[in-house]
Amino acid sequence: MMKKQLKNLPPKEQDRIMNAVESNPDFFIMISKEIKEKMNGGMGQMEASMMVMRKHQAELQKIMMP
């Protein structure tokens, strides 16, 4: 499913993101749960995603570094 969502990115970026998710599944599960909670509270998907990503920006940067 993720590959389908990442199809417009260059292959290197796709691999980098897939590796980050596969290496840190618990972190990304937590992120998705937080986004879902905000959406269930009435927030739109984009707004919820941006809010959660900003909250965890430092961790995301560490994980996504090459």
Side-chain angles (χ1 to χ4, degrees), residues 8-44:
N8 293 327
L9 292 175
K12 284 186 179 182
E13 274 301 301
Q14 289 179 20
D15 290 341
R16 191 167 73 103
I17 292 169
M18 291 299 293
N19 288 335
V21 172
E22 289 170 0
S23 298
N24 303 281
D26 294 335
F27 176 75
F28 287 98
I29 289 170
M30 177 194 62
I31 294 270
S32 66
K33 285 181 181 178
E34 285 186 35
I35 292 170
K36 185 172 173 98
E37 286 174 10
K38 294 198 178 302
M39 289 172 58
N40 289 342
M43 196 175 281

Side-chain angles (χ1 to χ4, degrees), residues 33-61:
K33 285 181 181 178
E34 285 186 35
I35 292 170
K36 185 172 173 98
E37 286 174 10
K38 294 198 178 302
M39 289 172 58
N40 289 342
M43 196 175 281
Q45 181 180 3
M46 182 63 78
E47 184 182 7
S49 297
M50 294 304 290
M51 183 177 277
V52 172
M53 295 300 178
R54 273 191 229 114
K55 177 181 172 184
H56 296 287
Q57 183 175 3
E59 295 104 320
L60 281 166
Q61 287 176 336

